[in-house]
Amino acid sequence: MWTRAIMSYRASFVLMLGANVVVTFLDFAVVILMFRHTDTLGGWTLPELGFLYGTSTLALGMANLFVGSIDALGERIRAGTLDTMLVRPAPALAQLCAERFSLRRLGRPVQAVAVLAWALAALDVHWTWDRVLLVPVLLVCGTLIFAAVFIGFASLQFWWGEAKELQNSFTYGGATLLHYPPTVFAKELVAGVVFGVPLAFVNWLPALRILDKPDPLGLPAAFQFASPLAAAIGLAVAGLAWRAGLRAYRGAGS
Amino acid sequence: MRNAVPVAPRATHPPDPDDTPAGGAPRLYLAVARGAFRRFSTYRAATLAGAFTNTVFGFILAYTFLALWQARPGLGGYDQSAAVTYIWVSQALLVTVAVWGGGFQDDVQERFRSGDIAIDLYRPVDFQGWWMATDLGRAGFHLLARGAPPLLAGSLVFHTRMPESPLTWAFFLVSVLLAVVVSFGLRFLVSLTGFWLHDSEGVRAVMLVVAMFFSGMLLPLALFPGLLGDLAPVLPWAALVQVPTDVFLERSTGTGLLGAFGFQLAWAVLLLAAGRLVQLLATRKVVVQGG
């Protein structure tokens, strides 16, 4: 329904889809422009950054496609329309995500696949079976981790209706962080996304193994394979936050 | 619109702008701007969350700039601390000058959708002037609420370069004011496409891309290669982030400063005039149904 409604302004839709592809690509355009002035950034080459960019953007894009609509939660609470969802015989979380499912969101994953394909072709990786296996594992787990971050931080809107922007810091901000190698950042920041919000498991840690890079934190090698565990823990915490939020929800009174 | 709008009885008309006493119009716009300032200041939690986001992005981008300038010291004429400061000032300006669009645009778009836009054109207050006043009020609030916190956070954690001369702060504010007017001029034109397209969302999305790239928000324009590097500094978007940031970093001083202000002012006047012209064309075209 929502997709059809958007399509009624056809010119707008085409422009928006195009703009969406380009605007997400701008992040990588900056990286390309940076590499016109240098050969490595934090010791990593352009194809290596392309790999980080492609994986991080694809994971974020897929998570956004499936559960991104959840950021409208605060508006629904304010308008009282969440109540309608709660009385329907389907999980509110599923309804919230299915609503406003928008084709426009395809722009991000599509261009991420393009950059990732280029990076994989340009990279000089010694492909062993564990490295080959890590790529799909990374993409699936990365999507799940970002989905958990979307849901977990959206749940805060049950208590703090205007917290939508806070979620952006960790989803879009997190993805931007993961476009660049961990060596660029302060160790505290890297530790924060390993042990705090587990974004480092989206691509940083598996990428260390795939691209054969030294770990700036010197963590055990097991961390590089631990993305599924991080995704499972992330989703469990997000699920608990969502349930706690629903239980705390008292309705808008309308 | 002249013959399509049902004419209300003269007695219930609000006063025409010509009838208002001298000094009335500036007072009115001041009140409108103050109202907008207050309106945005009511979204306290959202503003706090927004300032937090600007700070988070500031941290991430500042580190990437540090890495680049570590590899290439003095790139583009910025030293390391100037490059880091560039990030924090641009984060402070992002929402203030509405590089992404927004502000009054959201309201105008909603009024296109509901048809209220016809009433706006019929008001005794100038359409362009009204929305510019609201946008200046909004920008004033955002400069304080979303501009100051990231700049403060950045200067606490990183080795930033604050203006040496206190006058620079005043020059910076003038430059930001002009940046907001240029940005308003651009966004006003985008909004007016709604008269023809019925929905300016698509054009707005395209403008977002152009503005992000050519404002210097992503990378200082001095780092753009070749033709792009020649073109970007003369386009109006350079007036949004690049020019005020260079004023802040005291890269534009003396006649350079006058040149910077002149550049912003020229685009402001040009865009406002263009907006006025398009508005005239648009109002001729509007047909209001019903009575």
Side-chain angles (χ1 to χ4, degrees), chain A residues 9 12 15-16 19 22-23 26 30 33-34 36-38 40-41 160 162 165-166 169-170 172-173 176-177 180 184-186 189, chain B residues 43 45-46 49 52-53 57 60 63-64 67-68 71-72 75 146 199 201-203 205-206 208-209 212-213 218-219 223-225:
Chain A
Y9 295 109
S12 252
L15 285 176
M16 258 189 291
V22 179
V23 81
L26 276 186
V30 172
L33 283 179
M34 282 180 158
R36 291 187 63 99
H37 301 282
T38 178
T40 60
L41 201 66
W160 188 18
E162 298 170 277
E165 274 263 18
L166 207 65
S169 302
F170 293 93
Y172 298 96
T176 308
L177 180 81
Y180 295 93
V184 162
F185 301 100
L189 198 61
Chain B
Y43 304 116
F52 179 76
T53 305
F57 272 90
I60 296 167
Y63 279 115
T64 67
L68 178 61
R72 284 288 310 275
L75 185 61
R146 299 211 37 188
D199 175 62
E201 191 91 37
V203 181
V206 172
L208 187 156
V209 178
M212 275 299 273
F213 194 69
L218 301 170
L219 211 61
L223 270 60
F224 282 18

Side-chain angles (χ1 to χ4, degrees), chain B:
Chain B
M1 97 176 241
R2 204 164 295 132
N3 48 18
V5 175
V7 178
R10 183 81 184 120
T12 59
H13 248 235
D16 279 325
D18 311 324
D19 299 343
T20 44
R27 271 235 308 279
L28 171 73
Y29 290 125
L30 206 65
V32 170
R34 211 179 303 135
F37 185 100
R38 274 225 296 277
R39 176 185 157 203
F40 278 92
S41 68
T42 51
Y43 304 116
R44 236 164 265 160
T47 307
L48 197 69
F52 179 76
T53 305
N54 289 130
T55 310
V56 168
F57 272 90
F59 269 103
I60 296 167
L61 299 176
Y63 279 115
T64 67
F65 267 40
L66 272 181
L68 178 61
W69 263 267
Q70 223 138 44
R72 284 288 310 275
L75 185 61
Y78 298 89
D79 61 21
Q80 248 189 45
S81 64
V84 170
T85 313
Y86 188 95
I87 282 296
W88 291 105
V89 177
S90 61
Q91 280 299 317
L93 290 176
L94 175 65
V95 181
T96 308
V97 303
V99 179
W100 286 6
F104 79 98
Q105 274 183 303
D106 301 331
D107 299 325
V108 171
Q109 219 160 305
E110 195 45 51
R111 298 186 80 77
F112 267 114
R113 220 161 274 153
S114 63
D116 288 340
I117 200 81
I119 304 167
D120 291 347
L121 293 171
Y122 204 47
R123 281 184 211 278
V125 187
D126 179 63
F127 186 69
Q128 193 185 30
W130 167 280
W131 289 116
M132 186 157 103
T134 65
D135 205 51
L136 285 172
R138 175 204 61 78
F141 174 73
H142 277 155
L143 183 64
L144 287 177
R146 299 211 37 188
L151 195 58
L152 190 70
S155 63
L156 286 176
V157 177
F158 291 88
H159 185 66
T160 52
R161 197 159 76 204
M162 291 292 134
E164 272 170 31
S165 153
L167 257 181
T168 301
W169 286 99
F171 294 147
F172 175 63
L173 289 181
V174 173
S175 189
V176 171
L177 177 73
L178 288 169
V180 175
V181 178
V182 171
S183 163
F184 170 81
L186 289 164
R187 285 174 291 143
F188 188 69
L189 284 170
V190 172
S191 290
L192 288 182
T193 61
F195 279 108
W196 287 272
L197 299 174
H198 310 292
D199 175 62
S200 54
E201 191 91 37
V203 181
R204 200 175 142 168
V206 172
M207 285 297 274
L208 187 156
V209 178
V210 176
M212 275 299 273
F213 194 69
F214 285 110
S215 63
M217 189 69 218
L218 301 170
L219 211 61
L221 300 181
L223 270 60
F224 282 18
L227 188 67
L228 218 52
D230 298 333
L231 193 65
V234 293
L235 296 177
W237 294 279
L240 304 189
V241 175
Q242 180 71 57
V243 173
T245 308
D246 279 347
V247 169
F248 187 91
L249 289 172
E250 290 168 329
R251 279 162 65 90
S252 309
T253 49
T255 49
L257 190 65
L258 284 179
F261 287 158
F263 172 75
Q264 287 184 301
L265 196 64
W267 273 118
V269 171
L270 210 70
L271 288 165
L272 290 182
R276 173 123 325 229
L277 191 74
V278 176
Q279 179 187 332
L280 213 72
L281 292 175
T283 46
R284 290 236 177 94
K285 189 187 165 293
V286 171
V287 175
V288 179
Q289 304 271 10

Side-chain angles (χ1 to χ4, degrees), chain A residues 13-35:
Chain A
F13 174 77
V14 171
L15 285 176
M16 258 189 291
L17 187 65
N20 258 298
V21 173
V22 179
V23 81
T24 42
F25 185 73
L26 276 186
D27 288 331
F28 195 60
V30 172
V31 176
I32 294 173
L33 283 179
M34 282 180 158
F35 272 85

Side-chain angles (χ1 to χ4, degrees), chain A residues 47-55 116 119-120 123 135 138 207 210-211:
Chain A
E48 286 168 344
L49 260 78
F51 180 79
L52 288 181
Y53 173 87
T55 48
L116 185 57
L120 287 174
L123 278 171
V135 177
L138 168 171
I210 296 168
L211 304 177

